[in-house]
Amino acid sequence: MTRRWIGLILFSLTLLPAGPAVVTGHVPERLRLRLAPTPPRGWAVLALYAAAPLNAIPRLAGASPAITPAATAAAGVVAAGGCAVAAIALHRAAGPAS
């Protein structure tokens, strides 16, 4: 149980502030070109963050055995969506193929 709390706190301290900052365009100038387009990448970070509480909170709350796998599946879907958004943003940033 302690590892889940540590993981949730770690994800909250690192990814949660970074996601909204990138969505709103508050990115350091040296990273702005590497992270363009920034809003989709910020949404991807937020989706990847959302997978952590979706997976951890039902377990920490002692949810029923039926809810825990459903929450884990939802976390997987959200994480896959975040990865898809990041991949699409990367593909669009690369520009048209020659």
Side-chain angles (χ1 to χ4, degrees):
M1 175 110 53
T2 303
R3 287 182 280 156
R4 289 188 186 122
W5 277 111
I6 291 170
L8 188 58
I9 290 169
L10 182 67
F11 270 84
S12 295
L13 290 176
T14 56
L15 292 179
L16 190 56
V22 175
V23 168
T24 58
H26 292 88
V27 179
E29 286 296 324
R30 60 187 166 89
L31 295 176
R32 192 166 299 277
L33 292 176
R34 286 181 46 199
L35 293 178
T38 55
R41 292 188 187 208
W43 288 113
V45 168
L46 286 174
L48 289 173
Y49 165 75
L54 273 173
N55 192 14
I57 290 175
R59 296 173 193 275
L60 292 171
S64 71
I67 293 176
T68 303
T72 301
V77 169
V78 170
C83 290
V85 169
I88 291 169
L90 180 64
H91 178 68
R92 287 189 181 173
S98 299

